[in-house]
Amino acid sequence: MKVLLLNGSPHEKGCVFTALNEVAKEIAAAGIGTKIFWIGNRPVRDCIACGGCSKPGAAGCVFQDDVCTEFVEKMRSADGLIVGSPVYYAGPSGSLCSLLDRAFYSAKSVFSGKPAACIVNCRRGGASAAFDRLNKYFTICQMPVVSSQYWNDTHGRTPDEVLQDAEGVQTMRVLGKNMAYLLRCQAKAELPFPAQERKIATNFIR
């Protein structure tokens, strides 16, 4: 088993990495593999609503030359996902949202059924709004959302400050333990993912 931890910060070894690393250590302690994947600090394309990914024979998003493609490929072999983001104006980073918009829309089957969680880091406020925004990706894709003892946020402007947030760091540890627990439960149960109905899409204006 393996959990992919997505670092959505433009800083590879910053506050978000520090928080994700606390989660990863607990998952690894349970004998489950982990990989922290950084999205980088280059621009990430937005979804352009072209519909190309839904055409017969399409190989996912029409843009195949950036970090989105790499992320989806790594998720194919992952059993769980944890997404980490800094808080900007009470929301996740724009590059991360662009990546997730395209990945979840073009490759939904890669994510469905896999346990997921998000963590956010802020200096002071806006964490709960960013946390809520990220969880919506999971709930629309039938991913069991893993919780902790509190909302999954840490506070600090530097990695050292994050590590001084005793409650936040503990929340990360509990999240890692809970992710490992749910993955072990899934593996032990060996139950197939529920059969899927054909999706019904209704429009409010016709």
Side-chain angles (χ1 to χ4, degrees), residues 4-7 35 37-39 66-78 80-83 96 98-107 110-111 114 137-138 143:
L4 183 67
L5 299 97
L6 182 66
N7 180 359
K35 172 69 177 179
F37 175 60
W38 181 46
I39 70 171
D66 70 1
V67 68
C68 181
T69 302
E70 188 177 359
F71 168 55
V72 170
E73 287 306 308
K74 290 184 179 298
M75 271 305 300
R76 292 187 191 280
S77 60
L81 171 66
I82 296 178
V83 176
L96 176 63
S98 293
L99 168 66
L100 296 176
D101 284 352
R102 288 169 50 210
F104 274 75
Y105 191 79
S106 65
V110 173
F111 300 92
K114 296 179 179 180
Y137 288 102
F138 313 142
M143 302 179 80

Side-chain angles (χ1 to χ4, degrees), residues 80-123:
L81 171 66
I82 296 178
V83 176
S85 178
V87 175
Y88 297 150
Y89 293 94
S93 93
S95 293
L96 176 63
C97 289
S98 293
L99 168 66
L100 296 176
D101 284 352
R102 288 169 50 210
F104 274 75
Y105 191 79
S106 65
K108 183 176 181 179
S109 63
V110 173
F111 300 92
S112 295
K114 296 179 179 180
C118 65
I119 67 101
V120 296
N121 180 82
C122 65
R123 181 191 68 84

Side-chain angles (χ1 to χ4, degrees), residues 45-66:
R45 292 184 179 94
D46 290 327
C47 175
I48 60 172
C50 67
C53 62
S54 61
K55 293 180 180 178
C61 182
V62 295
F63 299 126
Q64 291 283 310
D65 60 347
D66 70 1

